[in-house]
């Protein structure tokens, strides 16, 4: 532990340790003992803050998403709703990188979740990641609905559509490309957002 880590509360030490473990192995289930050992706290202390593994995992993933895409962005009404939603989606893609970085990210995903039959532990880890990603997109859509920029509708279905587009774009970042990947990606994101905000107009 560094001096800086020593100044953290036991709860924050647990969250930092859990985020490090997920970063090292996205398919791993967060073991209470492993997280407590990495954090330098007792399992009892960890359980005090996070009574279940699900509670710990969900909080860690929420924190990770907050680092990637702060929720405040969707509330900035000085920016058109269309641009805000595209910006939020673009930031989800940003950590994957482009080219070599994207290929490495996909190699990790393939090894963790695709290469072999997933164990129950791997399935749980994937579903936790998917659940938090879906929750975040649904939140953005709910905000836009409440402010009147998006007509009421099936938020879950809309979020699933946008996440499917993001998955495709993330894969394209790892594939050979002719021309500007980011320009093509930007066009696709706007087409997807327009399909949500203005259904039936294209």
């Amino acid at each position: 532990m560094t001096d800086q880590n020593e100044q953290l509360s036991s709860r924050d030490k647990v969250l930092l340790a859990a985020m490090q473990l997920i970063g090292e192995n996205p398919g791993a289930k967060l073991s209470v003992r492993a997280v407590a050992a990495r954090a330098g706290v007792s399992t009892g202390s960890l359980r005090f803050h996070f009574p279940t593994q699900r509670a710990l995992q969900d909080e860690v993933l929420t924190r990770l998403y907050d680092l990637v895409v702060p929720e405040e962005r969707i509330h900035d009404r000085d920016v058109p709703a269309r641009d805000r939603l595209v910006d939020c989606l673009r930031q989800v893609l940003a950590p994957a990188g482009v080219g070599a970085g994207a290929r490495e990210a996909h190699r990790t995903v393939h090894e963790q979740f695709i290469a072999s039959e997933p164990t129950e532990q791997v399935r749980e880890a994937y579903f936790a990641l998917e659940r938090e990603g879906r929750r975040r997109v649904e939140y953005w859509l709910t905000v836009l609905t409440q402010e009147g920029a998006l007509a009421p509708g099936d938020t879950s279905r809309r979020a699933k559509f946008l996440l499917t587009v993001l998955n495709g774009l993330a894969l394209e970042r790892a594939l050979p490309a002719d021309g500007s990947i980011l320009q093509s990606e930007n066009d696709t994101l706007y087409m997807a957002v327009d399909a949500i905000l203005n259904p039936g107009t294209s």
Side-chain angles (χ1 to χ4, degrees), residues 60-169:
V60 169
L61 292 175
T62 297
R63 293 288 188 97
L64 288 172
Y65 270 83
D66 282 341
L67 290 173
V68 174
V69 192
E71 288 194 341
E72 294 80 14
R73 178 60 174 152
I74 199 66
H75 294 284
D76 184 2
R77 293 199 186 191
D78 290 336
V79 178
R82 179 178 186 249
D83 295 328
R84 274 182 279 154
L85 186 52
V86 166
D87 284 348
C88 289
L89 296 171
R90 189 185 291 120
Q91 289 178 58
V92 172
L93 287 169
V98 180
R103 286 191 292 276
E104 182 58 33
H106 272 280
R107 188 175 299 114
T108 299
V109 169
H110 186 271
E111 290 172 355
Q112 293 290 333
F113 303 115
I114 300 172
S116 58
E117 186 66 26
T119 63
E120 188 58 33
Q121 175 178 316
V122 169
R123 287 170 58 84
E124 287 180 16
Y126 175 78
F127 290 143
L129 291 166
E130 193 273 339
R131 184 171 59 246
E132 178 55 25
R134 187 177 66 248
R135 185 200 69 77
R136 185 56 57 96
V137 177
E138 288 178 356
Y139 173 77
W140 298 333
L141 297 178
T142 298
V143 169
L144 296 182
T145 300
Q146 290 173 345
E147 70 179 50
L150 175 62
D154 189 339
T155 301
S156 179
R157 186 164 172 259
R158 290 166 168 170
K160 177 65 175 173
F161 165 69
L162 291 175
L163 287 167
T164 299
V165 171
L166 289 178
N167 285 336
L169 290 174

Side-chain angles (χ1 to χ4, degrees), residues 170-181:
L171 178 59
E172 281 193 346
R173 283 183 168 211
L175 296 171
D178 181 19
S180 171
I181 294 176

Side-chain angles (χ1 to χ4, degrees), residues 2-108:
T2 66
D3 291 341
Q4 185 177 9
N5 285 352
E6 289 296 345
Q7 296 173 9
L8 296 175
S9 67
S10 59
R11 187 176 191 275
D12 285 341
K13 287 179 182 178
V14 167
L15 289 171
L16 178 59
M19 284 190 279
Q20 290 171 341
L21 290 170
I22 283 184
E24 293 166 5
N25 185 358
K29 184 175 181 179
L30 288 177
S31 157
V32 169
R33 289 186 180 183
V35 173
R38 173 71 69 96
V41 302
S42 68
T43 55
S45 177
L46 186 153
R47 289 292 193 194
F48 173 78
H49 297 295
F50 304 100
T52 66
Q53 284 177 314
R54 170 74 177 271
L56 172 60
Q57 190 163 249
D58 286 351
E59 178 67 14
V60 169
L61 292 175
T62 297
R63 293 288 188 97
L64 288 172
Y65 270 83
D66 282 341
L67 290 173
V68 174
V69 192
E71 288 194 341
E72 294 80 14
R73 178 60 174 152
I74 199 66
H75 294 284
D76 184 2
R77 293 199 186 191
D78 290 336
V79 178
R82 179 178 186 249
D83 295 328
R84 274 182 279 154
L85 186 52
V86 166
D87 284 348
C88 289
L89 296 171
R90 189 185 291 120
Q91 289 178 58
V92 172
L93 287 169
V98 180
R103 286 191 292 276
E104 182 58 33
H106 272 280
R107 188 175 299 114
T108 299

